[in-house]
Amino acid sequence: SQFRSLASRGQEDDEEMNRVFQTEEQRRLEKSEADPNGRQAEIKSIRDKLPIVAIREQLIDALRSSQCVVVSGGTGSGKSTQCPQYILEDAIANGKGAQTKIVVTQPRRIAAISVAERIASERDEEIGRGDGSNV
C-alpha cells in the first residue's frame, strides 16, 4: 500500500540520518584524539570537567525509565548545555538520533541564544544545522 511505502521510506530516511549522525559523532571524537591541542580536544576536556559528568549515566538511565526528570545543580554545572548533548549522544548511539527532539527552555532571550550557540560550538556545528534556537 501507499502508506506502507511511505512508512518504509521514512524508516530508510531515519536510518540514513542515524548513519550521518553516527559518522559526525565519530568525526568529533577522532578530531579530539588526533590533535590533543586542537579545539575539539579542548572542548572535550572542558566538558569532561563539568560537575554534571558525574551523573551522566544516571541521567540517561532516568530518562529511559521516566517521562520527566528534574535536574538541579549550580550555575555552570552543565545542566543546560550538557544534558541535551548527553540525550542526543545516547540517542545517536542507539540508532534513534533522527527521531529525537530535545527542547531546552531559558527564562531570557539572551540565555536561550547563548545556550544554543554554546551547544552548536561544542558540537562543531553551525547554529540551526543540528541544533537551533527559536526565541
Side-chain angles (χ1 to χ4, degrees), residues 80 104-113 115:
S80 298
V104 178
T105 61
Q106 292 291 313
R108 290 173 183 63
R109 176 185 181 91
I110 195 82
I113 293 168
V115 167

Side-chain angles (χ1 to χ4, degrees), residues 20-36:
V20 168
F21 289 150
Q22 288 170 342
T23 300
E24 288 175 348
E25 288 295 309
Q26 186 63 35
R27 179 189 56 82
R28 269 188 287 282
L29 177 63
E30 288 171 359
K31 277 177 84 173
S32 71
E33 292 172 348
D35 183 2

Side-chain angles (χ1 to χ4, degrees), residues 1 3 7 15 27 31 46-47 60 67 92 120 123 126:
S1 78
F3 176 75
E15 289 171 2
R27 179 189 56 82
K31 277 177 84 173
I46 292 168
R47 287 184 71 194
I60 296 301
Q67 287 185 327
I92 290 169
R123 296 189 58 73
E126 291 181 28

Side-chain angles (χ1 to χ4, degrees), residues 75-118:
T75 302
S77 63
K79 298 177 305 293
S80 298
T81 59
Q82 300 312 298
C83 285
Q85 291 186 80
Y86 294 166
I87 295 165
L88 181 59
E89 290 162 359
D90 181 69
I92 290 169
N94 288 295
K96 298 187 183 299
Q99 301 90 10
T100 301
K101 306 288 185 246
I102 303 165
V103 177
V104 178
T105 61
Q106 292 291 313
R108 290 173 183 63
R109 176 185 181 91
I110 195 82
I113 293 168
S114 294
V115 167
E117 288 174 345
R118 175 65 184 241

Side-chain angles (χ1 to χ4, degrees), residues 24 27-28 120-127 129-131:
E24 288 175 348
R27 179 189 56 82
R28 269 188 287 282
S121 173
E122 288 184 7
R123 296 189 58 73
D124 198 23
E125 297 177 354
E126 291 181 28
I127 258 267
R129 184 176 176 283
D131 59 62

Side-chain angles (χ1 to χ4, degrees), residues 1-68:
S1 78
Q2 185 178 9
F3 176 75
R4 184 167 296 164
S5 174
L6 288 173
S8 69
R9 188 176 328 139
Q11 184 178 2
E12 290 169 7
D13 289 346
D14 284 353
E15 289 171 2
E16 177 60 25
M17 284 303 301
N18 284 322
R19 283 190 291 277
V20 168
F21 289 150
Q22 288 170 342
T23 300
E24 288 175 348
E25 288 295 309
Q26 186 63 35
R27 179 189 56 82
R28 269 188 287 282
L29 177 63
E30 288 171 359
K31 277 177 84 173
S32 71
E33 292 172 348
D35 183 2
N37 298 317
R39 178 151 169 67
Q40 281 301 308
E42 179 183 348
I43 288 170
K44 184 176 182 335
S45 174
I46 292 168
R47 287 184 71 194
D48 289 347
K49 291 176 186 169
L50 290 169
I52 197 146
V53 79
I55 65 160
R56 179 183 178 142
E57 292 307 315
Q58 291 170 295
L59 174 65
I60 296 301
D61 290 343
L63 286 165
R64 286 185 187 140
S65 62
S66 303
Q67 287 185 327
C68 180

